[in-house]
Amino acid sequence: MAQATATKVGEPAPKLELPDTTGTIHTLPAPGEAPATVVVWTCNHCPYALGWHDRIVQAARDYEARGVRFMAVNSNDAERYPGDSLDAMRERVEAESWPFPYLHDESQEAAREWSAQVTPHLYVLDADLRVRYEGAPDADHLEPGADAAWLREALDAVLAGTDPPRPATDPVGCSVKWKP
Amino acid sequence: MLREEMGAVGLDASAVDVREVSTDADAEQEGFVGSPTIRIDGRDVQPVPDEPIGLSCRVYRLADGRISPLPDRREVRQTLLDAMKGGD
């Protein structure tokens, strides 16, 4: 397990331009295009990412009608961790019917630019693409009832035009698997 | 957790041998299927025969099916107890 404390809350989000599991390139919405955007670093083999995954998916489904965009990014070194290969990502998206794109950061540049440290590591952006929350989905990866409460709290605040009461938490999970 | 369970069944918690597996070659040699792996007298606390060998984070299933970075505490204790019986 690794923990990170770096935060970019209040700053404009870095650029994001990555292919999904079908090769389609995705970018952040244009300013004003979406009321909020969630970018989550995740992967296929981390127990923390897997433990929180369903809660993040449910949040994506619950906030879809309000125009919130979700994007997942996998930056792990697939050569040393084959479970995180593009093929493995594709299989998972198809088998699980993900409601958001699963982006492949093969060069790991996006992870570096965003300072993503662990999986999962969430960023909530407002309509102007400013980071308004960074951290974990909720307080307990083992407790499904925690329901991604910190993520939802941040989204509710951003959608209401107010400041998230908890703008940053320590993202808890497995370290991003950097290339040698 | 391992040391706690060792203490609970009357074993010396300082007897844990912690090994860092940091290369693919080490993983291959050890039959290492992810971190953390806990073996008691060589027996994995949650054996996974089909798990690929390599430097990965290990995914455990708790008794109720939840995914966890650590094995179920009861499995650890049971493996310790089994090993103690085997050592009699």
Side-chain angles (χ1 to χ4, degrees), chain A residues 56-71:
Chain A
I56 295 169
V57 165
Q58 190 57 52
R61 296 193 197 284
D62 291 346
Y63 284 86
E64 184 179 14
R66 299 168 75 179
V68 177
R69 305 266 184 96
F70 278 68
M71 310 168 100

Side-chain angles (χ1 to χ4, degrees), chain B residues 12-26:
Chain B
D12 177 8
S14 68
V16 177
D17 177 17
V18 179
R19 297 189 198 173
E20 182 178 358
V21 179
S22 55
T23 68
D24 292 329
D26 288 346

Side-chain angles (χ1 to χ4, degrees), chain A:
Chain A
M1 185 180 83
Q3 291 192 332
T5 54
T7 179
K8 297 187 295 294
V9 171
E11 297 178 11
K15 191 182 86 168
L16 190 71
E17 184 173 356
L18 293 169
D20 66 14
T21 49
T22 69
T24 301
I25 302 294
H26 292 259
T27 60
L28 294 176
E33 188 181 339
T37 300
V38 178
V39 180
V40 53
W41 257 262
T42 188
C43 71
N44 290 351
H45 81 275
C46 166
Y48 295 91
L50 295 174
W52 262 310
H53 179 73
D54 288 349
R55 282 172 255 174
I56 295 169
V57 165
Q58 190 57 52
R61 296 193 197 284
D62 291 346
Y63 284 86
E64 184 179 14
R66 299 168 75 179
V68 177
R69 305 266 184 96
F70 278 68
M71 310 168 100
V73 182
N74 186 346
S75 298
N76 281 357
D77 177 5
E79 195 164 315
R80 299 184 77 206
Y81 302 89
D84 283 317
S85 69
L86 180 57
D87 283 344
M89 291 169 60
R90 187 179 300 118
E91 284 171 19
R92 196 164 164 225
V93 168
E94 290 172 0
E96 299 173 8
S97 301
W98 286 32
F100 43 73
Y102 194 13
L103 310 182
H104 188 212
D105 179 26
E106 185 176 9
S107 71
Q108 303 188 317
E109 282 180 26
R112 275 190 285 273
E113 287 177 13
W114 284 68
S115 300
Q117 301 292 319
V118 300
T119 55
H121 192 155
L122 275 75
Y123 299 86
V124 174
L125 317 180
D126 62 18
D128 297 324
L129 306 183
R130 220 164 257 283
V131 178
R132 303 296 299 277
Y133 173 77
E134 178 193 6
D138 57 50
D140 189 347
H141 60 281
L142 284 176
E143 179 46 64
D147 199 25
W150 294 347
L151 166 61
R152 290 172 184 268
E153 173 187 85
L155 281 172
D156 289 342
V158 168
L159 292 172
T162 61
D163 291 330
R166 198 182 336 243
T169 62
D170 282 339
V172 176
C174 308
S175 61
V176 170
K177 306 307 182 199
W178 300 103
K179 295 180 179 181

Side-chain angles (χ1 to χ4, degrees), chain B residues 8-71:
Chain B
V9 298
L11 293 172
D12 177 8
S14 68
V16 177
D17 177 17
V18 179
R19 297 189 198 173
E20 182 178 358
V21 179
S22 55
T23 68
D24 292 329
D26 288 346
E28 194 70 38
Q29 186 175 347
E30 297 277 357
F32 180 73
V33 294
S35 178
T37 283
I38 301 171
R39 291 178 185 155
I40 297 166
D41 285 355
R43 181 182 161 199
D44 197 296
V45 297
Q46 195 176 99
V48 278
D50 298 328
E51 195 76 4
I53 289 171
L55 302 175
S56 179
C57 299
R58 186 146 173 193
V59 177
Y60 287 96
R61 286 275 178 185
L62 301 182
D64 60 8
R66 285 179 298 161
I67 291 170
S68 169
L70 294 173

